[in-house]
Amino acid sequence: MRRTTGILTLLCASVAVAWGQPQSDVVDITFDKLGALYHKNESGNAICRVMKAGDRDTCRVAVELVDMEGKPAGYRETYELASPFERYYYVPLKLSEWGYYYVQVSLMQADSVVFSQRAGFGVIPDVTLTQKDYESPFGVGAHYARYGDWRVADIQQRLGIAWVRDVARWKDFIGKWSDKPDPFVDYLDRHHICWLPILDYVDARHGWQDQKGVWRWDEDVSNIKKYIEMNRGHIDIYESQNEPSNFAGWNQRWPHPQGQKWRPQGWGIPFTDLVKQMHDSVKSVSPDIKLIWPGEEEWIEYFDDNRDHVADHIDFTAIHPYILWRKTPETSPFYDSFYRTQKQMLKSRHISTEIWVTETGWTTYLPDSIRRHFPPVTELQQAQYLVRNYLVQLYFGAGKMFWYELVEEPFGVHHPESGFGLLRYNAQLTVKPAAVAFANMVYNYRYLKPIGRYRAQERKTYGFVYEDTRADNAPVLSIWRQSDERVESIPVKYTRSLTGVDIFGRRVEIPVIDGVAHLPLSMSVLTVRGFDPRDLKNLYEPQEQD
């Protein structure tokens, strides 16, 4: 597989070295752009700081640019360093191709590398949000208030991620000291980001039961209504509560008889009463405002079977399909029958079959001796799985998808929650490879209409066929392997040449020889354009319609 790589022009290099110090103090690499995020041919600067302490042997320092596979990508310079010092060299950047790259600094004695450190940066298509894109299916979860760093919206806007799911902290603005506007609304409006607000938790302990046996949260519901009235005209959809089985004391006050807190037997009936009351409040403000219900596993069946008129109060549902031990997107039930079965269940109850995936993701935490709930993945795998997961679930029935989450959590490298983020939790919020893959997914797939499932020649090959609504419905093929590499040979009678890109926007050569297209497949989705529609028409199964 041949790919073109980005070009980094390093006019000056700044390096500083230190023996006998913590590794984190030896080398420091920073970038002048928030997120270490650039567009093609956009000028910028990186700074390499290397420290050397004491009078020990002279060492060499190599500064180079490498690609995702660690291969040289166009620049390498070495320096001889001897005396104690701390220096800074500014590194002008001129980047001519999309991709994810590293500035790498290595300390060497003789020909051996003693210590090496690298910092990643992204070169992405210009997918910057210039207006709100409510129709986009691409979203991300975030904790803006928790970060205490509102710059994250600048990065989300630059990545082209149209939606954010975050908590609406109505308790901070209604009912305590005064009723005041939530500044988050204007903040996201200025960045052209659509907000899916999760209504902050209603504490289970606040509920009381009336003479009819209905559980009530009158004060909380009244304050939520005031908050929704305040945001009328800005927000048209809310999520009722996030994972009630895990938070706000629901399964503590009403535990499951066998201790299975995820299941609603116990907390389900009072929770249903709350959301029905919330729904009535929302509709009294405006019948056009929607309220999403949690729809995991058997929840909807339980809610509907154990309380009257539940279906009348469900605008549509949301799920959190983490893959867990089955690891890859294609080995989950979502590739086969989940959405079909779920929508049949909803339709039988006269509930909208629209389903949003409001949390999904893979984490790059470092494993230790403790068995964790989530399987750890590498940063490259996270990027690969992100794109594959979006393409699979959007094809089979998800309305919108929100990756969990935007920024890594500062809970330690061995904590699963720390590794889900697309951005690193550091001073610059630098991008991980998955963020660059996300921007390229937006660029390549935002305006594609899926029309069918590719008929793979061999097991563990997956793909879909699309029409590009912005290019006269020209066909586009997405195709990849589950866990290895293979060449897929496709007979073509009318196609003369094809163009392909990987998930980072790097071009992939696709030979078309003697009427056969040879597609080099890997675990990274290959997006292929240029097929004559007549060559593809027998290579896919048409998409099933609801």
Side-chain angles (χ1 to χ4, degrees), residues 107-157:
L107 279 58
M108 298 177 292
Q109 285 186 324
D111 293 327
S112 299
V113 175
V114 178
F115 171 69
S116 183
Q117 187 162 312
R118 63 185 187 178
F121 62 98
V123 187
I124 64 170
D126 188 356
V127 289
T128 304
L129 298 170
T130 58
Q131 59 184 4
K132 287 195 174 185
D133 186 3
Y134 291 102
E135 299 303 315
S136 172
F138 300 120
V140 67
H143 298 102
Y144 278 84
R146 183 188 300 178
Y147 307 144
D149 189 338
W150 300 99
R151 300 175 303 161
V152 290
D154 297 325
I155 302 177
Q156 180 175 345
Q157 182 181 14

Side-chain angles (χ1 to χ4, degrees), residues 92 95 127 143 151 159 200 225 298 308 357 380 495 536:
L95 307 149
V127 289
H143 298 102
R151 300 175 303 161
L159 290 170
D200 201 3
K225 179 181 177 181
E298 83 279 19
D308 293 335
V357 174
L380 176 58
T495 301
L536 276 181

Side-chain angles (χ1 to χ4, degrees), residues 238-249:
Y238 291 84
E239 191 165 359
S240 57
Q241 302 278 270
N242 176 62
E243 296 184 357
S245 55
N246 289 341
F247 303 100

